């Protein structure tokens, strides 16, 4: 009991008082948990930020699958080739620039403003790995590059698709 001479008609034990106080304090803290919807389902903070390294035959297909995934935002592409024909089929024009343009055009369609230029192109994969905001990378380059890129990406704490 709080006190033997407590004038309250409903005396409360010390333990109950502490429990109620804790519950009250907890309810005060609740508004600090802001629902994700406040920022919009497509807010960058709600999506996995992906950089695509290697945008040739296989890489462009994987990039397109990630583009369709609403949980993902492609923030960078990386390829040593600016853009050229000569991939698997003659009509393909692949490389860094076509990939960047495709990513920006896709997100522009979804943007209220109708424009988007947020996909950054890189030649050197190490600059991609230096970005702290990149959560995951796709590594779709010739075989002799797999090990070094994968090890360095893992060392930088990136999730990896290859
Ligand atoms: N083509 C297929 O059907 C197929 C199927 C399964 C797996 N794979 C594998 O996928 C990988 C890629 O094959 P692909 O057919 O897409 O090759 P690709 O030659 O079409 O594309 C590779 C791309 O990587 C780029 N690149 C090369 N070195 C780079 C570097 N250091 N940094 C950044 N970009 C670089 C090239 O410019 C090119 O655009 C290979 O490991 C291959 O074994 C290919």
């Amino acid at each position: 009991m709080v006190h033997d001479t407590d004038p309250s008609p409903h005396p409360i034990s010390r333990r109950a008082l502490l429990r109620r106080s804790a519950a009250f304090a907890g309810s005060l803290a609740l508004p600090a948990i802001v629902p994700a919807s406040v920022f919009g389902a497509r807010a960058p903070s709600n999506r996995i930020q992906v950089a695509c390294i290697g945008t040739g035959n296989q890489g462009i297909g994987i990039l397109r699958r990630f583009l369709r995934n609403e949980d993902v935002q492609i923030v960078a592409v990386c390829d040593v080739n600016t853009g050229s024909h000569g991939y698997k089929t003659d009509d393909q024009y692949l490389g860094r620039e076509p990939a960047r343009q495709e990513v920006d055009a896709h997100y522009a369609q979804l943007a209220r403003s109708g424009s988007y230029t947020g996909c950054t192109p890189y030649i050197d994969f190490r600059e991609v790995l230096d970005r702290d905001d990149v959560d995951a990378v796709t590594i779709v380059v010739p075989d002799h590059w797999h090990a070094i890129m994968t090890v360095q990406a893992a060392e930088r704490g990136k999730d990896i698709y290859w």
Side-chain angles (χ1 to χ4, degrees):
M1 303 305 246
V2 171
H3 199 282
D4 284 342
T5 57
D6 187 344
S8 162
H10 304 292
I12 181 170
S13 71
R14 182 183 299 276
R15 183 171 296 178
L17 181 67
L18 288 174
R19 205 181 297 132
R20 284 186 202 179
S21 302
F24 178 65
S27 71
L28 284 181
L30 274 180
I33 302 168
V34 180
S37 58
V38 165
F39 301 109
R42 290 199 55 79
S45 55
N46 288 336
R47 275 170 284 148
I48 300 160
Q49 310 228 86
V50 171
C52 295
I53 304 174
T55 54
N57 283 308
Q58 286 295 110
I60 196 66
I62 290 162
L63 179 151
R64 286 172 182 151
R65 288 208 292 280
F66 275 112
L67 267 187
R68 291 197 296 270
N69 187 330
E70 290 187 355
D71 293 333
V72 164
Q73 177 84 17
I74 298 178
V75 295
V77 292
C78 171
D79 200 300
V80 290
N81 181 19
T82 307
S84 68
H85 292 280
Y87 281 83
K88 208 170 191 174
T89 61
D90 288 342
D91 59 334
Q92 283 177 305
Y93 181 71
L94 299 175
R96 184 176 67 253
E97 264 311 293
R100 182 194 65 75
Q101 286 170 15
E102 188 165 335
V103 171
D104 278 347
H106 176 85
Y107 291 129
Q109 274 187 330
L110 301 174
R112 243 182 240 176
S113 64
S115 72
Y116 185 86
T117 55
C119 179
T120 310
Y122 293 91
I123 298 171
D124 188 333
F125 76 96
R126 292 169 298 187
E127 291 178 23
V128 174
L129 301 183
D130 278 344
R131 280 182 59 164
D132 288 336
D133 64 333
V134 169
D135 303 309
V137 291
T138 65
I139 297 177
V140 197
V141 288
D143 295 355
H144 59 276
W145 277 108
H146 288 186
I148 190 162
M149 288 186 185
T150 303
V151 167
Q152 290 192 24
E155 284 173 348
R156 304 304 300 265
K158 310 300 184 195
D159 286 310
I160 301 159
Y161 178 103
W162 65 267

